[in-house]
Amino acid sequence: MATISDDRLFFVLKSSPRFFVYGLADPRTMEIRYIGKSVHGLRRPKSHGFSSYLGKDHTHKANWIKQLQSQGLNYAIIVLQIFDTKDYVAVWEKWWIGYGRACGWKLTNHT
């Protein structure tokens, strides 16, 4: 099921795919702030918010997540593209980062 709202495409998934490119979004605006890839299902995008991970991470992304958490909020995970294998996940992650930047998204990605 997909719903289109304000030029954003959202999917409701019945099960978690294993290989995908995802965005982490501000829950207040649903603006994507970070794009990443996973070859381990939702484990990777969820790990960004773990205190053990955030304690070692001093990136702009981590600071943004810490700010959300200090306000009692957590980022939303948006699956942007799903793959059958891990072969092209990294290539498409870079494409999505470039696309997001071209669209003016305020991404925290360094690459």
Side-chain angles (χ1 to χ4, degrees):
M1 175 183 184
T3 304
I4 299 175
S5 173
D6 297 331
D7 298 322
R8 298 182 188 109
L9 184 61
F10 299 96
F11 291 93
V12 177
L13 303 171
K14 292 186 178 184
S15 63
S16 174
R18 182 168 176 198
F19 309 110
F20 58 89
V21 174
Y22 62 90
L24 302 183
D26 187 308
R28 299 164 291 197
T29 63
M30 293 310 289
E31 176 184 24
I32 294 176
R33 299 298 314 277
Y34 177 81
I35 294 173
K37 65 182 181 300
S38 181
V39 296
H40 298 290
L42 287 172
R43 183 171 52 174
R44 174 71 177 142
K46 286 181 178 180
S47 72
H48 294 294
F50 295 163
S51 59
S52 58
Y53 180 86
L54 288 172
K56 301 177 220 171
D57 189 353
H58 303 289
T59 62
H60 187 57
K61 172 196 67 186
N63 291 335
W64 166 68
I65 293 171
K66 289 174 194 174
Q67 180 187 36
L68 286 176
Q69 291 179 346
S70 73
Q71 297 172 16
L73 301 171
N74 197 13
Y75 54 82
I77 300 169
I78 300 173
V79 175
L80 299 171
Q81 190 171 6
I82 300 170
F83 303 90
D84 293 328
T85 67
K86 64 180 180 178
D87 296 339
Y88 298 103
V89 178
V91 172
W92 282 100
E93 176 196 29
K94 290 177 184 173
W95 183 90
W96 276 101
I97 292 169
Y99 175 79
R101 288 200 170 120
C103 290
W105 299 353
K106 300 173 190 168
L107 297 177
T108 61
N109 295 73
H110 285 109
T111 57

